[in-house]
Tab-separated table of all heavy atoms in Angstrom:
chain	number	residue	atom	x	y	z
A	194	TYR	N	-168.441	199.219	-80.035
A	194	TYR	CA	-169.267	199.957	-80.977
A	194	TYR	C	-170.286	200.777	-80.204
A	194	TYR	O	-170.746	200.385	-79.140
A	194	TYR	CB	-170.043	199.008	-81.907
A	194	TYR	CG	-169.234	198.401	-83.026
A	194	TYR	CD1	-168.504	197.236	-82.830
A	194	TYR	CD2	-169.228	198.987	-84.286
A	194	TYR	CE1	-167.783	196.673	-83.870
A	194	TYR	CE2	-168.508	198.427	-85.335
A	194	TYR	CZ	-167.789	197.276	-85.115
A	194	TYR	OH	-167.077	196.711	-86.156
A	196	GLN	N	-174.079	202.635	-80.660
A	196	GLN	CA	-175.283	202.704	-81.483
A	196	GLN	C	-176.148	203.854	-80.996
A	196	GLN	O	-176.893	203.721	-80.030
A	196	GLN	CB	-176.068	201.392	-81.430
A	196	GLN	CG	-177.260	201.366	-82.379
A	196	GLN	CD	-178.018	200.056	-82.315
A	196	GLN	OE1	-178.225	199.502	-81.232
A	196	GLN	NE2	-178.454	199.558	-83.462
A	199	SER	N	-180.079	206.892	-83.923
A	199	SER	CA	-180.283	206.738	-85.367
A	199	SER	C	-180.179	205.276	-85.806
A	199	SER	O	-180.677	204.909	-86.874
A	199	SER	CB	-179.259	207.571	-86.141
A	199	SER	OG	-177.946	207.143	-85.823
A	204	PHE	N	-168.118	202.306	-85.119
A	204	PHE	CA	-166.921	201.691	-84.566
A	204	PHE	C	-166.204	202.689	-83.669
A	204	PHE	O	-166.017	203.853	-84.028
A	204	PHE	CB	-166.025	201.255	-85.729
A	204	PHE	CG	-164.612	200.922	-85.362
A	204	PHE	CD1	-164.315	199.716	-84.745
A	204	PHE	CD2	-163.587	201.803	-85.630
A	204	PHE	CE1	-163.010	199.399	-84.414
A	204	PHE	CE2	-162.279	201.497	-85.306
A	204	PHE	CZ	-161.989	200.297	-84.698
A	207	ARG	N	-160.591	199.081	-81.678
A	207	ARG	CA	-160.206	197.685	-81.850
A	207	ARG	C	-158.925	197.454	-81.060
A	207	ARG	O	-158.027	198.297	-81.040
A	207	ARG	CB	-159.947	197.391	-83.325
A	207	ARG	CG	-159.312	196.040	-83.589
A	207	ARG	CD	-158.966	195.863	-85.063
A	207	ARG	NE	-158.068	196.898	-85.540
A	207	ARG	CZ	-158.383	197.760	-86.507
A	207	ARG	NH1	-159.569	197.727	-87.079
A	207	ARG	NH2	-157.515	198.659	-86.908
A	248	PHE	N	-171.890	198.429	-77.446
A	248	PHE	CA	-171.658	197.000	-77.578
A	248	PHE	C	-170.174	196.692	-77.541
A	248	PHE	O	-169.370	197.353	-78.202
A	248	PHE	CB	-172.207	196.474	-78.912
A	248	PHE	CG	-173.700	196.479	-79.010
A	248	PHE	CD1	-174.368	197.517	-79.634
A	248	PHE	CD2	-174.444	195.436	-78.470
A	248	PHE	CE1	-175.753	197.514	-79.735
A	248	PHE	CE2	-175.822	195.425	-78.564
A	248	PHE	CZ	-176.470	196.473	-79.189
A	258	TYR	N	-163.447	184.400	-90.669
A	258	TYR	CA	-163.949	185.382	-91.621
A	258	TYR	C	-164.558	186.597	-90.966
A	258	TYR	O	-165.525	187.159	-91.459
A	258	TYR	CB	-164.964	184.732	-92.574
A	258	TYR	CG	-164.329	183.638	-93.398
A	258	TYR	CD1	-164.610	182.310	-93.140
A	258	TYR	CD2	-163.435	183.932	-94.421
A	258	TYR	CE1	-164.021	181.303	-93.887
A	258	TYR	CE2	-162.842	182.937	-95.178
A	258	TYR	CZ	-163.136	181.616	-94.897
A	258	TYR	OH	-162.566	180.626	-95.628
A	259	GLY	N	-163.991	187.005	-89.866
A	259	GLY	CA	-164.464	188.229	-89.248
A	259	GLY	C	-165.745	188.107	-88.475
A	259	GLY	O	-166.367	189.094	-88.157
A	260	LYS	N	-166.164	186.908	-88.164
A	260	LYS	CA	-167.388	186.737	-87.400
A	260	LYS	C	-167.207	187.327	-86.009
A	260	LYS	O	-166.285	186.996	-85.288
A	260	LYS	CB	-167.717	185.248	-87.293
A	260	LYS	CG	-168.915	184.934	-86.444
A	260	LYS	CD	-169.117	183.419	-86.371
A	260	LYS	CE	-170.177	183.071	-85.348
A	260	LYS	NZ	-170.404	181.620	-85.248
B	75	ARG	N	-185.733	201.360	-94.127
B	75	ARG	CA	-185.529	201.581	-92.693
B	75	ARG	C	-186.629	200.902	-91.890
B	75	ARG	O	-186.379	200.391	-90.806
B	75	ARG	CB	-185.543	203.077	-92.364
B	75	ARG	CG	-184.327	203.841	-92.844
B	75	ARG	CD	-183.021	203.287	-92.251
B	75	ARG	NE	-182.993	203.265	-90.801
B	75	ARG	CZ	-182.511	204.244	-90.045
B	75	ARG	NH1	-182.067	205.350	-90.600
B	75	ARG	NH2	-182.485	204.118	-88.736
B	99	PHE	N	-172.248	190.541	-93.837
B	99	PHE	CA	-172.897	189.879	-92.702
B	99	PHE	C	-174.332	190.370	-92.540
B	99	PHE	O	-174.625	191.534	-92.802
B	99	PHE	CB	-172.148	190.199	-91.397
B	99	PHE	CG	-170.676	189.903	-91.439
B	99	PHE	CD1	-169.784	190.804	-91.995
B	99	PHE	CD2	-170.175	188.720	-90.918
B	99	PHE	CE1	-168.427	190.547	-92.043
B	99	PHE	CE2	-168.809	188.444	-90.956
B	99	PHE	CZ	-167.942	189.353	-91.510
B	103	GLN	N	-180.979	192.164	-84.262
B	103	GLN	CA	-180.769	192.762	-82.950
B	103	GLN	C	-182.072	192.758	-82.179
B	103	GLN	O	-183.085	193.298	-82.635
B	103	GLN	CB	-180.267	194.206	-83.091
B	103	GLN	CG	-180.025	194.891	-81.757
B	103	GLN	CD	-179.572	196.322	-81.917
B	103	GLN	OE1	-179.414	196.836	-83.012
B	103	GLN	NE2	-179.346	196.992	-80.805
B	108	GLY	N	-178.436	191.499	-77.704
B	108	GLY	CA	-177.360	192.051	-78.526
B	108	GLY	C	-177.590	191.745	-79.990
B	108	GLY	O	-178.733	191.588	-80.451
B	125	ASP	N	-175.161	182.012	-86.277
B	125	ASP	CA	-175.656	181.368	-85.063
B	125	ASP	C	-177.154	181.070	-85.099
B	125	ASP	O	-177.631	180.168	-84.421
B	125	ASP	CB	-175.347	182.266	-83.856
B	125	ASP	CG	-173.856	182.498	-83.689
B	125	ASP	OD1	-173.095	181.528	-83.865
B	125	ASP	OD2	-173.449	183.637	-83.404
B	165	GLY	N	-158.972	191.055	-88.304
B	165	GLY	CA	-158.960	192.085	-87.279
B	165	GLY	C	-159.604	193.391	-87.677
B	165	GLY	O	-159.806	194.261	-86.839
B	167	GLU	N	-162.374	196.147	-88.540
B	167	GLU	CA	-163.715	196.343	-88.017
B	167	GLU	C	-164.751	196.138	-89.102
B	167	GLU	O	-164.459	196.214	-90.296
B	167	GLU	CB	-163.888	197.748	-87.425
B	167	GLU	CG	-163.861	198.879	-88.440
B	167	GLU	CD	-162.470	199.442	-88.624
B	167	GLU	OE1	-161.487	198.728	-88.375
B	167	GLU	OE2	-162.377	200.620	-89.029
B	168	GLN	N	-165.974	195.876	-88.675
B	168	GLN	CA	-167.094	195.783	-89.588
B	168	GLN	C	-167.769	197.145	-89.682
B	168	GLN	O	-167.837	197.890	-88.708
B	168	GLN	CB	-168.094	194.727	-89.113
B	168	GLN	CG	-167.516	193.323	-89.156
B	168	GLN	CD	-168.510	192.248	-88.768
B	168	GLN	OE1	-169.715	192.484	-88.698
B	168	GLN	NE2	-168.009	191.041	-88.540
B	170	PHE	N	-171.306	199.036	-90.528
B	170	PHE	CA	-172.714	198.673	-90.465
B	170	PHE	C	-173.607	199.623	-91.253
B	170	PHE	O	-173.330	200.827	-91.349
B	170	PHE	CB	-173.179	198.660	-89.008
B	170	PHE	CG	-172.717	197.453	-88.247
B	170	PHE	CD1	-171.443	197.397	-87.703
B	170	PHE	CD2	-173.551	196.353	-88.096
B	170	PHE	CE1	-171.005	196.279	-87.011
B	170	PHE	CE2	-173.133	195.229	-87.406
B	170	PHE	CZ	-171.864	195.188	-86.861
Side-chain angles (χ1 to χ4, degrees):
Chain A
Y194 283 86
Q196 186 180 41
S199 60
F204 165 77
R207 170 185 58 242
F248 291 97
Y258 298 107
K260 176 182 171 180
Chain B
R75 289 301 303 268
F99 307 82
Q103 180 182 359
D125 299 319
E167 68 268 25
Q168 294 183 14
F170 284 82

